[in-house]
Amino acid sequence: MSRTPVLCIAGGGTGGHVMPALALADAARERWSDLNVRFIGAERGLEAKLLPERGESVLLLAMHGIKGAGLWQKLRVLIWELPKSVWTIRRHWQREERPDLLVGVGGYASVSAVAAALLARVPVILYEQNAMPGLVNRTLGRFCQRMMLGFAAASEHLGGGVKSEVTGNIVREAIVRTQWQPHQPPRLLVLGGSQGARILNQSVPEACAMLAREGRVFTVTHVAGSDKAAREAAVDTYAQAGINADVLPFCDDMPSFYAAGDLMIARSGAMTVSEAAVCGMPCIFVPLPHAADDHQRHNARALADCGGALLIDQQQMTADSLAAQIDSCLFDADLLTTMSRATEAAAPLNARDRQLDVLAAFLPAARSLQGREVCS
Ligand SMILES: CC(=O)N[C@H]1[C@@H](OP(=O)(O)OP(=O)(O)OC[C@H]2O[C@@H](n3ccc(=O)[nH]c3=O)[C@H](O)[C@@H]2O)O[C@H](CO)[C@@H](O)[C@@H]1O
C-alpha cells in the first residue's frame, strides 16, 4: 500500500525565508490534497513563533547563524552545531517519516537539512529568493536536483553544474489578490523588512516632518521592528509634525498594509520586492548596504530598471534628499500610476504554479527511491 508522500520545507530565520515557505506549503497542499508537509527551522528564527501558531509540524534546531559572528562563534557553529543538527534531523527521520522531497528555502536551518537530505539520498530542491544567489546556495547547488530562482538575474551568477529554473518568488495568495489604488490624501508605507531598519526609522519620520512643515498632507503606516525606543521616537516625530501615522513593530496583515499605500519606502529584501511587484506598488528602495554580495541592490534593480521604483544609496541619503524624493512621487498621481503599472509588469507570472511544477517533477521520483534508501 502506498503511503502519503511527505514534503519537508527547511530553513527560515527571517520573514524573507519563512513567508515563501508558508506560501509554498499552502500551495502544495492545495494541489496535492494527500501531501504531508513538515518543516525544519531554528529555535531562534521567526519560524519558531509563526509555524506553531499556525499548527504546523516543525522540528526546531538549536542553531546560531554565522553572519556577522566572531571567529569563535563561527567555529562553534561549523564544528559543533552543524554536525549535531544534521544528526538530530537524521534521527528524527528514523523515528518519524523520512521526507520524499526536501525544499531548502535558505537561512541557517536550511544548510543542516540539505546536508541531512543529501546523506539520506532524499532529493533536494533549493529555493533562492534573491537576485544574487548566496554563497551557500552557489556551493550546494551542484549537489541538488534543482534550484528555483526568485529573479531571472540570479541565473547569471550560478556556476555550470547547477540546474536552475526561474520560477519567481511565491507570494502569499492574499497579497497576490491585493491591487494598488490611489488614495486621497496620499498614504506612505514604510517597511524595513521583517526586522525593521534603523536608518528608515530615523530618516523617514524626519523627512515626513519636513514635508508636513511645507504644508503637504498625507498619512503614514510605518512598520519599524522590535526596537521600542526607535518606535517611540518615530511616533513622537510624526506627532509633533501633526502627521497621522501608525507605527507598528510587526504587521500580521500584509495584504491590508499593501492595500493601504500609494508609495512604499522599504529595504529591498527579495520578498518585499516581489510582493511590491505583484501588488503594483510604487517604491523607493534603500538597499541594506552590507547585505552579502550587495544582493538587496540586485533585488531592487528588478523594479528600478523598469521605472517602477527609485533606488537610493543609504550612504548618500539624508532626511533632506529623502524628503525631496518622497515629494517628487507621493503627490504626483500620474507618476504614481505609471510607476504602479511598471512594477506590476515586472512581477513574475504564476510563480506559484511554476514552483509546484518543479516540485511535481521530483515527488514521483522521490517515491520510487523509497525502497532503496538506507538510513544510517
Ligand atoms: C537583514 C536581512 O538579512 N535581510 C534579508 C532577509 O530579509 P527580510 O526577512 O526582511 O525579508 P524580505 O524583505 O525578503 O521579506 C519580508 C517578509 O516578511 C513579511 N513581513 C514583513 C514585515 C512585517 O511586519 N510583516 C510581514 O509579514 C513580508 O510580507 C515578506 O514576506 O531575507 C531576504 C530574502 O532572502 C533577503 O533579501 C534580505 O536581504
Side-chain angles (χ1 to χ4, degrees), residues 14-17 19-20 67 129-130 172 175 191-195 223 249-252 254 258 267-272 275 288 291 295-296 299:
T14 67
H17 302 299
M19 299 307 177
K67 200 162 69 180
Q129 293 87 20
N130 293 289
R172 288 169 282 169
I175 296 178
L191 181 63
S194 58
Q195 297 161 305
V223 182
F250 188 81
C251 176
D252 290 316
M254 291 305 285
Y258 289 123
R267 282 294 194 210
S268 40
M271 295 311 298
T272 298
E275 289 169 8
L288 178 72
H295 67 251
Q296 287 211 356
N299 296 341

PDB file of all heavy atoms in Angstrom, residues 14-17 19-20 67 129-130 172 175 191-195 223 249-252 254 258 267-272 275 288 291 295-296 299, ligand 1:
ATOM      1  N   THR A  14      14.410  34.671   9.065  1.00  0.00           N
ATOM      2  CA  THR A  14      13.653  35.920   8.942  1.00  0.00           C
ATOM      3  C   THR A  14      12.448  35.703   8.028  1.00  0.00           C
ATOM      4  O   THR A  14      12.319  34.653   7.394  1.00  0.00           O
ATOM      5  CB  THR A  14      14.529  37.039   8.342  1.00  0.00           C
ATOM      6  OG1 THR A  14      14.826  36.680   6.994  1.00  0.00           O
ATOM      7  CG2 THR A  14      15.817  37.225   9.117  1.00  0.00           C
ATOM      8  N   GLY A  15      11.620  36.745   7.941  1.00  0.00           N
ATOM      9  CA  GLY A  15      10.408  36.662   7.125  1.00  0.00           C
ATOM     10  C   GLY A  15      10.704  36.344   5.667  1.00  0.00           C
ATOM     11  O   GLY A  15       9.902  35.696   4.998  1.00  0.00           O
ATOM     12  N   GLY A  16      11.862  36.786   5.184  1.00  0.00           N
ATOM     13  CA  GLY A  16      12.214  36.574   3.777  1.00  0.00           C
ATOM     14  C   GLY A  16      12.350  35.103   3.420  1.00  0.00           C
ATOM     15  O   GLY A  16      12.273  34.734   2.241  1.00  0.00           O
ATOM     16  N   HIS A  17      12.539  34.231   4.417  1.00  0.00           N
ATOM     17  CA  HIS A  17      12.577  32.793   4.152  1.00  0.00           C
ATOM     18  C   HIS A  17      11.284  32.109   4.622  1.00  0.00           C
ATOM     19  O   HIS A  17      10.797  31.196   3.979  1.00  0.00           O
ATOM     20  CB  HIS A  17      13.771  32.154   4.885  1.00  0.00           C
ATOM     21  CG  HIS A  17      15.095  32.754   4.505  1.00  0.00           C
ATOM     22  ND1 HIS A  17      15.571  32.722   3.223  1.00  0.00           N
ATOM     23  CD2 HIS A  17      16.026  33.406   5.238  1.00  0.00           C
ATOM     24  CE1 HIS A  17      16.755  33.333   3.174  1.00  0.00           C
ATOM     25  NE2 HIS A  17      17.041  33.763   4.395  1.00  0.00           N
ATOM     26  N   MET A  19       8.126  33.367   5.041  1.00  0.00           N
ATOM     27  CA  MET A  19       6.872  33.673   4.325  1.00  0.00           C
ATOM     28  C   MET A  19       6.749  32.882   3.019  1.00  0.00           C
ATOM     29  O   MET A  19       5.699  32.283   2.758  1.00  0.00           O
ATOM     30  CB  MET A  19       6.733  35.180   4.063  1.00  0.00           C
ATOM     31  CG  MET A  19       6.706  36.012   5.322  1.00  0.00           C
ATOM     32  SD  MET A  19       5.448  35.416   6.490  1.00  0.00           S
ATOM     33  CE  MET A  19       5.736  36.517   7.865  1.00  0.00           C
ATOM     34  N   PRO A  20       7.803  32.807   2.191  1.00  0.00           N
ATOM     35  CA  PRO A  20       7.644  31.976   0.984  1.00  0.00           C
ATOM     36  C   PRO A  20       7.519  30.495   1.327  1.00  0.00           C
ATOM     37  O   PRO A  20       6.846  29.740   0.604  1.00  0.00           O
ATOM     38  CB  PRO A  20       8.914  32.256   0.175  1.00  0.00           C
ATOM     39  CG  PRO A  20       9.882  32.876   1.109  1.00  0.00           C
ATOM     40  CD  PRO A  20       9.073  33.558   2.175  1.00  0.00           C
ATOM     41  N   LYS A  67      26.432  34.797  10.136  1.00  0.00           N
ATOM     42  CA  LYS A  67      26.559  36.121   9.542  1.00  0.00           C
ATOM     43  C   LYS A  67      26.910  37.145  10.630  1.00  0.00           C
ATOM     44  O   LYS A  67      26.189  37.261  11.618  1.00  0.00           O
ATOM     45  CB  LYS A  67      25.244  36.503   8.854  1.00  0.00           C
ATOM     46  CG  LYS A  67      25.425  37.591   7.846  1.00  0.00           C
ATOM     47  CD  LYS A  67      24.258  37.667   6.891  1.00  0.00           C
ATOM     48  CE  LYS A  67      22.997  38.159   7.560  1.00  0.00           C
ATOM     49  NZ  LYS A  67      21.847  38.252   6.722  1.00  0.00           N
ATOM     50  N   GLN A 129      15.739  33.073  -3.132  1.00  0.00           N
ATOM     51  CA  GLN A 129      14.793  34.183  -3.316  1.00  0.00           C
ATOM     52  C   GLN A 129      15.433  35.414  -3.970  1.00  0.00           C
ATOM     53  O   GLN A 129      14.758  36.223  -4.595  1.00  0.00           O
ATOM     54  CB  GLN A 129      14.209  34.628  -1.968  1.00  0.00           C
ATOM     55  CG  GLN A 129      13.310  33.637  -1.277  1.00  0.00           C
ATOM     56  CD  GLN A 129      14.082  32.660  -0.412  1.00  0.00           C
ATOM     57  OE1 GLN A 129      15.218  32.931  -0.027  1.00  0.00           O
ATOM     58  NE2 GLN A 129      13.483  31.533  -0.111  1.00  0.00           N
ATOM     59  N   ASN A 130      16.750  35.574  -3.780  1.00  0.00           N
ATOM     60  CA  ASN A 130      17.399  36.842  -4.165  1.00  0.00           C
ATOM     61  C   ASN A 130      17.906  36.871  -5.609  1.00  0.00           C
ATOM     62  O   ASN A 130      18.197  35.824  -6.195  1.00  0.00           O
ATOM     63  CB  ASN A 130      18.565  37.102  -3.217  1.00  0.00           C
ATOM     64  CG  ASN A 130      18.070  37.374  -1.814  1.00  0.00           C
ATOM     65  OD1 ASN A 130      17.497  38.428  -1.556  1.00  0.00           O
ATOM     66  ND2 ASN A 130      18.239  36.414  -0.910  1.00  0.00           N
ATOM     67  N   ARG A 172       2.276  35.047  -0.898  1.00  0.00           N
ATOM     68  CA  ARG A 172       1.026  34.579  -0.285  1.00  0.00           C
ATOM     69  C   ARG A 172      -0.184  35.049  -1.106  1.00  0.00           C
ATOM     70  O   ARG A 172      -0.217  36.194  -1.560  1.00  0.00           O
ATOM     71  CB  ARG A 172       0.946  35.090   1.162  1.00  0.00           C
ATOM     72  CG  ARG A 172       1.929  34.378   2.081  1.00  0.00           C
ATOM     73  CD  ARG A 172       2.029  35.048   3.416  1.00  0.00           C
ATOM     74  NE  ARG A 172       2.868  36.246   3.370  1.00  0.00           N
ATOM     75  CZ  ARG A 172       2.958  37.146   4.341  1.00  0.00           C
ATOM     76  NH1 ARG A 172       2.240  37.008   5.427  1.00  0.00           N
ATOM     77  NH2 ARG A 172       3.769  38.183   4.232  1.00  0.00           N
ATOM     78  N   ILE A 175      -1.930  38.345  -0.751  1.00  0.00           N
ATOM     79  CA  ILE A 175      -1.179  39.511  -1.255  1.00  0.00           C
ATOM     80  C   ILE A 175      -1.311  39.582  -2.779  1.00  0.00           C
ATOM     81  O   ILE A 175      -1.451  40.670  -3.349  1.00  0.00           O
ATOM     82  CB  ILE A 175       0.303  39.443  -0.815  1.00  0.00           C
ATOM     83  CG1 ILE A 175       0.391  39.526   0.714  1.00  0.00           C
ATOM     84  CG2 ILE A 175       1.127  40.544  -1.468  1.00  0.00           C
ATOM     85  CD1 ILE A 175       1.796  39.418   1.293  1.00  0.00           C
ATOM     86  N   LEU A 191       8.592  50.218   5.315  1.00  0.00           N
ATOM     87  CA  LEU A 191       8.794  48.811   5.688  1.00  0.00           C
ATOM     88  C   LEU A 191      10.288  48.481   5.684  1.00  0.00           C
ATOM     89  O   LEU A 191      10.932  48.464   4.641  1.00  0.00           O
ATOM     90  CB  LEU A 191       8.060  47.907   4.681  1.00  0.00           C
ATOM     91  CG  LEU A 191       8.134  46.406   4.917  1.00  0.00           C
ATOM     92  CD1 LEU A 191       7.471  46.008   6.229  1.00  0.00           C
ATOM     93  CD2 LEU A 191       7.471  45.654   3.762  1.00  0.00           C
ATOM     94  N   GLY A 192      10.796  48.221   6.887  1.00  0.00           N
ATOM     95  CA  GLY A 192      12.232  47.879   6.991  1.00  0.00           C
ATOM     96  C   GLY A 192      12.438  46.383   6.981  1.00  0.00           C
ATOM     97  O   GLY A 192      13.186  45.861   7.800  1.00  0.00           O
ATOM     98  N   GLY A 193      11.785  45.650   6.100  1.00  0.00           N
ATOM     99  CA  GLY A 193      11.892  44.188   6.075  1.00  0.00           C
ATOM    100  C   GLY A 193      11.193  43.587   7.287  1.00  0.00           C
ATOM    101  O   GLY A 193      10.421  44.267   7.968  1.00  0.00           O
ATOM    102  N   SER A 194      11.483  42.315   7.562  1.00  0.00           N
ATOM    103  CA  SER A 194      10.765  41.649   8.653  1.00  0.00           C
ATOM    104  C   SER A 194      11.314  42.042  10.022  1.00  0.00           C
ATOM    105  O   SER A 194      10.715  41.722  11.038  1.00  0.00           O
ATOM    106  CB  SER A 194      10.813  40.132   8.468  1.00  0.00           C
ATOM    107  OG  SER A 194      12.141  39.676   8.412  1.00  0.00           O
ATOM    108  N   GLN A 195      12.458  42.745  10.064  1.00  0.00           N
ATOM    109  CA  GLN A 195      13.042  43.092  11.372  1.00  0.00           C
ATOM    110  C   GLN A 195      13.111  44.601  11.630  1.00  0.00           C
ATOM    111  O   GLN A 195      13.628  45.031  12.653  1.00  0.00           O
ATOM    112  CB  GLN A 195      14.457  42.509  11.452  1.00  0.00           C
ATOM    113  CG  GLN A 195      14.448  40.998  11.376  1.00  0.00           C
ATOM    114  CD  GLN A 195      15.805  40.446  10.998  1.00  0.00           C
ATOM    115  OE1 GLN A 195      16.388  40.811   9.975  1.00  0.00           O
ATOM    116  NE2 GLN A 195      16.333  39.599  11.840  1.00  0.00           N
ATOM    117  N   VAL A 223       6.147  50.243   9.577  1.00  0.00           N
ATOM    118  CA  VAL A 223       6.497  49.010  10.301  1.00  0.00           C
ATOM    119  C   VAL A 223       7.968  49.137  10.701  1.00  0.00           C
ATOM    120  O   VAL A 223       8.859  49.150   9.854  1.00  0.00           O
ATOM    121  CB  VAL A 223       6.268  47.752   9.438  1.00  0.00           C
ATOM    122  CG1 VAL A 223       6.603  46.503  10.231  1.00  0.00           C
ATOM    123  CG2 VAL A 223       4.830  47.692   8.963  1.00  0.00           C
ATOM    124  N   PRO A 249       5.318  47.426  15.441  1.00  0.00           N
ATOM    125  CA  PRO A 249       6.543  46.618  15.496  1.00  0.00           C
ATOM    126  C   PRO A 249       6.597  45.593  14.369  1.00  0.00           C
ATOM    127  O   PRO A 249       7.646  45.335  13.794  1.00  0.00           O
ATOM    128  CB  PRO A 249       6.449  45.909  16.859  1.00  0.00           C
ATOM    129  CG  PRO A 249       5.027  45.988  17.274  1.00  0.00           C
ATOM    130  CD  PRO A 249       4.389  47.140  16.544  1.00  0.00           C
ATOM    131  N   PHE A 250       5.469  44.990  14.051  1.00  0.00           N
ATOM    132  CA  PHE A 250       5.394  43.953  13.028  1.00  0.00           C
ATOM    133  C   PHE A 250       3.972  43.964  12.498  1.00  0.00           C
ATOM    134  O   PHE A 250       3.037  44.283  13.231  1.00  0.00           O
ATOM    135  CB  PHE A 250       5.716  42.575  13.649  1.00  0.00           C
ATOM    136  CG  PHE A 250       5.843  41.464  12.642  1.00  0.00           C
ATOM    137  CD1 PHE A 250       7.024  41.282  11.936  1.00  0.00           C
ATOM    138  CD2 PHE A 250       4.782  40.592  12.396  1.00  0.00           C
ATOM    139  CE1 PHE A 250       7.149  40.258  10.990  1.00  0.00           C
ATOM    140  CE2 PHE A 250       4.899  39.566  11.445  1.00  0.00           C
ATOM    141  CZ  PHE A 250       6.095  39.398  10.757  1.00  0.00           C
ATOM    142  N   CYS A 251       3.801  43.652  11.241  1.00  0.00           N
ATOM    143  CA  CYS A 251       2.457  43.667  10.667  1.00  0.00           C
ATOM    144  C   CYS A 251       2.009  42.232  10.382  1.00  0.00           C
ATOM    145  O   CYS A 251       2.681  41.513   9.636  1.00  0.00           O
ATOM    146  CB  CYS A 251       2.473  44.489   9.380  1.00  0.00           C
ATOM    147  SG  CYS A 251       0.910  44.483   8.535  1.00  0.00           S
ATOM    148  N   ASP A 252       0.886  41.832  10.981  1.00  0.00           N
ATOM    149  CA  ASP A 252       0.367  40.483  10.740  1.00  0.00           C
ATOM    150  C   ASP A 252      -0.579  40.433   9.554  1.00  0.00           C
ATOM    151  O   ASP A 252      -1.042  39.367   9.176  1.00  0.00           O
ATOM    152  CB  ASP A 252      -0.387  39.980  11.990  1.00  0.00           C
ATOM    153  CG  ASP A 252       0.574  39.697  13.123  1.00  0.00           C
ATOM    154  OD1 ASP A 252       1.628  39.090  12.858  1.00  0.00           O
ATOM    155  OD2 ASP A 252       0.287  40.110  14.268  1.00  0.00           O
ATOM    156  N   MET A 254      -0.331  41.755   6.043  1.00  0.00           N
ATOM    157  CA  MET A 254       0.366  42.435   4.949  1.00  0.00           C
ATOM    158  C   MET A 254      -0.555  42.783   3.771  1.00  0.00           C
ATOM    159  O   MET A 254      -0.357  43.825   3.137  1.00  0.00           O
ATOM    160  CB  MET A 254       1.567  41.607   4.477  1.00  0.00           C
ATOM    161  CG  MET A 254       2.703  41.541   5.481  1.00  0.00           C
ATOM    162  SD  MET A 254       3.298  43.164   6.016  1.00  0.00           S
ATOM    163  CE  MET A 254       4.238  43.720   4.616  1.00  0.00           C
ATOM    164  N   TYR A 258      -0.431  46.564   2.282  1.00  0.00           N
ATOM    165  CA  TYR A 258      -0.159  46.977   0.903  1.00  0.00           C
ATOM    166  C   TYR A 258      -1.366  47.704   0.298  1.00  0.00           C
ATOM    167  O   TYR A 258      -1.205  48.675  -0.447  1.00  0.00           O
ATOM    168  CB  TYR A 258       0.203  45.761   0.038  1.00  0.00           C
ATOM    169  CG  TYR A 258       1.575  45.170   0.342  1.00  0.00           C
ATOM    170  CD1 TYR A 258       1.728  43.832   0.699  1.00  0.00           C
ATOM    171  CD2 TYR A 258       2.730  45.956   0.272  1.00  0.00           C
ATOM    172  CE1 TYR A 258       2.985  43.286   0.973  1.00  0.00           C
ATOM    173  CE2 TYR A 258       3.988  45.416   0.546  1.00  0.00           C
ATOM    174  CZ  TYR A 258       4.106  44.076   0.896  1.00  0.00           C
ATOM    175  OH  TYR A 258       5.343  43.547   1.169  1.00  0.00           O
ATOM    176  N   ARG A 267      13.387  48.621   2.615  1.00  0.00           N
ATOM    177  CA  ARG A 267      14.557  47.818   2.313  1.00  0.00           C
ATOM    178  C   ARG A 267      14.173  46.931   1.137  1.00  0.00           C
ATOM    179  O   ARG A 267      12.967  46.633   0.952  1.00  0.00           O
ATOM    180  CB  ARG A 267      14.909  46.918   3.505  1.00  0.00           C
ATOM    181  CG  ARG A 267      15.634  47.601   4.642  1.00  0.00           C
ATOM    182  CD  ARG A 267      16.999  48.068   4.226  1.00  0.00           C
ATOM    183  NE  ARG A 267      17.827  48.427   5.359  1.00  0.00           N
ATOM    184  CZ  ARG A 267      18.770  49.347   5.287  1.00  0.00           C
ATOM    185  NH1 ARG A 267      18.993  50.018   4.163  1.00  0.00           N
ATOM    186  NH2 ARG A 267      19.521  49.595   6.341  1.00  0.00           N
ATOM    187  N   SER A 268      15.176  46.436   0.384  1.00  0.00           N
ATOM    188  CA  SER A 268      14.817  45.636  -0.788  1.00  0.00           C
ATOM    189  C   SER A 268      15.144  44.163  -0.585  1.00  0.00           C
ATOM    190  O   SER A 268      15.868  43.557  -1.387  1.00  0.00           O
ATOM    191  CB  SER A 268      15.479  46.188  -2.041  1.00  0.00           C
ATOM    192  OG  SER A 268      16.803  46.594  -1.782  1.00  0.00           O
ATOM    193  N   GLY A 269      14.624  43.601   0.511  1.00  0.00           N
ATOM    194  CA  GLY A 269      14.653  42.149   0.681  1.00  0.00           C
ATOM    195  C   GLY A 269      13.872  41.520  -0.471  1.00  0.00           C
ATOM    196  O   GLY A 269      12.957  42.139  -1.037  1.00  0.00           O
ATOM    197  N   ALA A 270      14.234  40.284  -0.821  1.00  0.00           N
ATOM    198  CA  ALA A 270      13.655  39.649  -2.012  1.00  0.00           C
ATOM    199  C   ALA A 270      12.126  39.611  -1.983  1.00  0.00           C
ATOM    200  O   ALA A 270      11.462  39.893  -2.990  1.00  0.00           O
ATOM    201  CB  ALA A 270      14.197  38.227  -2.139  1.00  0.00           C
ATOM    202  N   MET A 271      11.558  39.262  -0.817  1.00  0.00           N
ATOM    203  CA  MET A 271      10.107  39.111  -0.777  1.00  0.00           C
ATOM    204  C   MET A 271       9.403  40.464  -0.766  1.00  0.00           C
ATOM    205  O   MET A 271       8.315  40.601  -1.334  1.00  0.00           O
ATOM    206  CB  MET A 271       9.679  38.260   0.430  1.00  0.00           C
ATOM    207  CG  MET A 271      10.154  36.830   0.380  1.00  0.00           C
ATOM    208  SD  MET A 271       9.834  35.989  -1.193  1.00  0.00           S
ATOM    209  CE  MET A 271       8.041  36.019  -1.277  1.00  0.00           C
ATOM    210  N   THR A 272      10.011  41.457  -0.123  1.00  0.00           N
ATOM    211  CA  THR A 272       9.422  42.800  -0.152  1.00  0.00           C
ATOM    212  C   THR A 272       9.318  43.266  -1.607  1.00  0.00           C
ATOM    213  O   THR A 272       8.280  43.779  -2.048  1.00  0.00           O
ATOM    214  CB  THR A 272      10.298  43.787   0.661  1.00  0.00           C
ATOM    215  OG1 THR A 272      10.336  43.355   2.024  1.00  0.00           O
ATOM    216  CG2 THR A 272       9.752  45.190   0.605  1.00  0.00           C
ATOM    217  N   GLU A 275       6.659  41.107  -3.482  1.00  0.00           N
ATOM    218  CA  GLU A 275       5.288  41.433  -3.071  1.00  0.00           C
ATOM    219  C   GLU A 275       4.872  42.796  -3.634  1.00  0.00           C
ATOM    220  O   GLU A 275       3.747  42.971  -4.108  1.00  0.00           O
ATOM    221  CB  GLU A 275       5.182  41.403  -1.538  1.00  0.00           C
ATOM    222  CG  GLU A 275       5.276  39.980  -1.001  1.00  0.00           C
ATOM    223  CD  GLU A 275       5.446  39.883   0.513  1.00  0.00           C
ATOM    224  OE1 GLU A 275       5.339  40.907   1.204  1.00  0.00           O
ATOM    225  OE2 GLU A 275       5.678  38.757   1.003  1.00  0.00           O
ATOM    226  N   LEU A 288      19.962  47.418   1.893  1.00  0.00           N
ATOM    227  CA  LEU A 288      20.864  47.231   3.043  1.00  0.00           C
ATOM    228  C   LEU A 288      22.293  47.214   2.499  1.00  0.00           C
ATOM    229  O   LEU A 288      22.641  46.334   1.709  1.00  0.00           O
ATOM    230  CB  LEU A 288      20.520  45.889   3.692  1.00  0.00           C
ATOM    231  CG  LEU A 288      21.366  45.440   4.888  1.00  0.00           C
ATOM    232  CD1 LEU A 288      21.039  46.289   6.108  1.00  0.00           C
ATOM    233  CD2 LEU A 288      21.085  43.963   5.206  1.00  0.00           C
ATOM    234  N   ALA A 291      24.527  43.894   2.868  1.00  0.00           N
ATOM    235  CA  ALA A 291      23.949  42.574   2.542  1.00  0.00           C
ATOM    236  C   ALA A 291      24.968  41.800   1.698  1.00  0.00           C
ATOM    237  O   ALA A 291      25.680  42.401   0.883  1.00  0.00           O
ATOM    238  CB  ALA A 291      22.650  42.764   1.754  1.00  0.00           C
ATOM    239  N   HIS A 295      23.227  41.880  -2.379  1.00  0.00           N
ATOM    240  CA  HIS A 295      22.068  41.268  -3.057  1.00  0.00           C
ATOM    241  C   HIS A 295      20.820  42.144  -3.011  1.00  0.00           C
ATOM    242  O   HIS A 295      19.983  42.081  -3.901  1.00  0.00           O
ATOM    243  CB  HIS A 295      21.778  39.857  -2.520  1.00  0.00           C
ATOM    244  CG  HIS A 295      21.304  39.788  -1.106  1.00  0.00           C
ATOM    245  ND1 HIS A 295      22.064  39.308  -0.082  1.00  0.00           N
ATOM    246  CD2 HIS A 295      20.117  40.137  -0.524  1.00  0.00           C
ATOM    247  CE1 HIS A 295      21.377  39.351   1.045  1.00  0.00           C
ATOM    248  NE2 HIS A 295      20.199  39.859   0.800  1.00  0.00           N
ATOM    249  N   GLN A 296      20.703  43.022  -1.990  1.00  0.00           N
ATOM    250  CA  GLN A 296      19.480  43.854  -1.943  1.00  0.00           C
ATOM    251  C   GLN A 296      19.463  44.874  -3.092  1.00  0.00           C
ATOM    252  O   GLN A 296      18.395  45.224  -3.592  1.00  0.00           O
ATOM    253  CB  GLN A 296      19.360  44.550  -0.589  1.00  0.00           C
ATOM    254  CG  GLN A 296      18.971  43.587   0.538  1.00  0.00           C
ATOM    255  CD  GLN A 296      18.139  44.229   1.635  1.00  0.00           C
ATOM    256  OE1 GLN A 296      17.886  45.428   1.634  1.00  0.00           O
ATOM    257  NE2 GLN A 296      17.704  43.417   2.578  1.00  0.00           N
ATOM    258  N   ASN A 299      18.240  42.984  -6.050  1.00  0.00           N
ATOM    259  CA  ASN A 299      16.777  42.800  -5.974  1.00  0.00           C
ATOM    260  C   ASN A 299      16.056  44.086  -6.408  1.00  0.00           C
ATOM    261  O   ASN A 299      15.123  44.049  -7.216  1.00  0.00           O
ATOM    262  CB  ASN A 299      16.334  42.492  -4.536  1.00  0.00           C
ATOM    263  CG  ASN A 299      16.881  41.179  -4.002  1.00  0.00           C
ATOM    264  OD1 ASN A 299      17.295  40.324  -4.763  1.00  0.00           O
ATOM    265  ND2 ASN A 299      16.883  41.026  -2.677  1.00  0.00           N
TER     266      ASN A 299
HETATM  267  C1  LIG B   1      18.598  41.834   7.056  1.00  0.00           C
HETATM  268  C2  LIG B   1      18.470  40.633   6.186  1.00  0.00           C
HETATM  269  O1  LIG B   1      19.175  39.654   6.355  1.00  0.00           O
HETATM  270  N1  LIG B   1      17.560  40.702   5.193  1.00  0.00           N
HETATM  271  C3  LIG B   1      17.344  39.576   4.281  1.00  0.00           C
HETATM  272  C4  LIG B   1      16.024  38.897   4.657  1.00  0.00           C
HETATM  273  O2  LIG B   1      15.095  39.964   4.637  1.00  0.00           O
HETATM  274  P1  LIG B   1      13.672  40.002   5.298  1.00  0.00           P
HETATM  275  O3  LIG B   1      13.445  38.891   6.249  1.00  0.00           O
HETATM  276  O4  LIG B   1      13.422  41.379   5.733  1.00  0.00           O
HETATM  277  O5  LIG B   1      12.869  39.593   4.018  1.00  0.00           O
HETATM  278  P2  LIG B   1      12.068  40.138   2.815  1.00  0.00           P
HETATM  279  O6  LIG B   1      12.064  41.583   2.645  1.00  0.00           O
HETATM  280  O7  LIG B   1      12.526  39.308   1.661  1.00  0.00           O
HETATM  281  O8  LIG B   1      10.605  39.631   3.216  1.00  0.00           O
HETATM  282  C5  LIG B   1       9.969  40.007   4.375  1.00  0.00           C
HETATM  283  C6  LIG B   1       8.746  39.141   4.505  1.00  0.00           C
HETATM  284  O9  LIG B   1       8.195  39.323   5.782  1.00  0.00           O
HETATM  285  C7  LIG B   1       6.856  39.792   5.647  1.00  0.00           C
HETATM  286  N2  LIG B   1       6.601  40.765   6.714  1.00  0.00           N
HETATM  287  C8  LIG B   1       7.465  41.794   6.907  1.00  0.00           C
HETATM  288  C9  LIG B   1       7.239  42.699   7.906  1.00  0.00           C
HETATM  289  C10 LIG B   1       6.093  42.549   8.694  1.00  0.00           C
HETATM  290  O10 LIG B   1       5.819  43.326   9.605  1.00  0.00           O
HETATM  291  N3  LIG B   1       5.246  41.524   8.457  1.00  0.00           N
HETATM  292  C11 LIG B   1       5.482  40.600   7.486  1.00  0.00           C
HETATM  293  O11 LIG B   1       4.687  39.669   7.297  1.00  0.00           O
HETATM  294  C12 LIG B   1       6.757  40.420   4.276  1.00  0.00           C
HETATM  295  O12 LIG B   1       5.430  40.413   3.817  1.00  0.00           O
HETATM  296  C13 LIG B   1       7.688  39.494   3.488  1.00  0.00           C
HETATM  297  O13 LIG B   1       7.010  38.336   3.082  1.00  0.00           O
HETATM  298  O14 LIG B   1      15.703  37.855   3.713  1.00  0.00           O
HETATM  299  C14 LIG B   1      15.605  38.281   2.340  1.00  0.00           C
HETATM  300  C15 LIG B   1      15.282  37.047   1.487  1.00  0.00           C
HETATM  301  O15 LIG B   1      16.348  36.152   1.482  1.00  0.00           O
HETATM  302  C16 LIG B   1      16.884  38.987   1.882  1.00  0.00           C
HETATM  303  O16 LIG B   1      16.690  39.517   0.584  1.00  0.00           O
HETATM  304  C17 LIG B   1      17.233  40.112   2.854  1.00  0.00           C
HETATM  305  O17 LIG B   1      18.443  40.742   2.461  1.00  0.00           O
END
